[in-house]
Amino acid sequence: MEIEVKENLTRIDKFLVDYLSESRSTIAKMIENSFILVNGNKVKANYNVKIGDIITVEEGFVEEIDIVPEDIDIDIIYEDDDIIIVNKESGMVVHPGNGNIHGTLVNALLHHTSHLSDINGEIRPGIVHRIDKDTSGLMIVAKNNKAHNILADRLSRHEIKREYIALLKGEFLSDTATIDAPIGRDKVNRKRMAVTSINSKNAITHLRVIERYKNYTLVRLSLETGRTHQIRVHMDYIGYPIYNDPVYTNDNCSEFGQFLHSASIDFIHPTTNEPMHFEVDVPKYFKEFIDSLEKK
């Protein structure tokens, strides 16, 4: 997350309270541990922000906790000496954080293997990319730093292709669409992202209709960028939010969360350079709900 300061204000820890869902004391600890930088440099919590400052906030800060292996069932689709492909279930947090120190995918991975990359530190071992807690589907995990670096570089250059399946509220009329709209932190609700021109980054999502139902549309989505909540924000922005999304709809949602599934992933293996393709069906609850709908 990047924030550009537009006016001379006050000390950075006080300024960031309005942008982050954290207390001033936690923000101060993030600054001390270099999770927050100004113009690429470490500062102190009493630093006074100035016009033109670029504040970078790195996600994943966790106050001191012990990350322990836990015997949790996970659906491993593929594994070799370099990578693991996991089909993450909806409801599972990817890595520990404040308020979520147990039951995460990382806890399960640490029980499964002692071979995970440590580039992202002890909180996120092996995690090359994430998907939201209530988004299900495919993720790549790196078992060593060499594989991690190669995959992270290819991800940054958009050479890893990921496609998602989502159920949208409403009947989307076009067969295809491209949403090109910048995404940044919502100014009112700091837990949400939004389409905005303020402190935002470009975001592009491609959409293709799979099936239309009465009051719903099943779609396949691919990303050119990987912004936080990108698909969820873009679908809400065009007026067809993802069904059962507790953040981007005002509906009473079930515990399953948004009907969004990481369905397929294509990439070049970091060691063998072989093309890799994996695809998994939507979860049972997702499929049963679709099967109950009336087709158009």
Side-chain angles (χ1 to χ4, degrees), residues 236-293:
D236 179 48
Y237 175 66
I238 64 174
Y240 295 86
I242 295 175
Y243 172 67
N244 208 52
D245 191 328
V247 177
Y248 294 96
T249 69
N250 295 319
D251 301 340
N252 291 323
C253 299
S254 73
E255 292 183 0
F256 183 79
Q258 64 271 3
F259 277 47
L260 179 61
H261 176 68
S262 176
S264 68
I265 192 163
D266 292 86
F267 61 98
I268 302 300
H269 193 283
T271 301
T272 67
N273 289 321
E274 293 288 331
M276 308 292 287
H277 170 79
F278 300 95
E279 189 159 353
V280 290
D281 199 3
V282 298
K284 181 181 178 182
Y285 184 80
F286 193 148
K287 187 176 187 305
E288 288 177 347
F289 185 82
I290 293 172
D291 291 343
S292 73
L293 299 177

Side-chain angles (χ1 to χ4, degrees), residues 149-206:
N149 279 327
I150 292 171
L151 290 167
D153 179 63
R154 290 175 180 169
L155 189 68
S156 70
R157 290 190 277 121
H158 314 299
E159 293 176 359
I160 296 177
K161 181 181 179 183
R162 291 175 289 166
E163 291 196 342
Y164 294 76
I165 291 175
L167 185 67
L168 309 185
K169 291 179 59 182
E171 297 170 15
F172 193 81
L173 299 179
S174 300
D175 291 336
T176 62
T178 294
I179 301 91
D180 185 349
I183 291 175
R185 188 71 59 176
D186 190 304
K187 293 181 68 176
V188 177
N189 184 346
R190 308 310 300 176
K191 294 183 179 181
R192 287 170 50 115
M193 306 300 287
V195 171
T196 176
S197 60
I198 301 172
N199 296 322
S200 58
K201 293 184 178 181
N202 71 301
I204 301 173
T205 304
H206 301 288

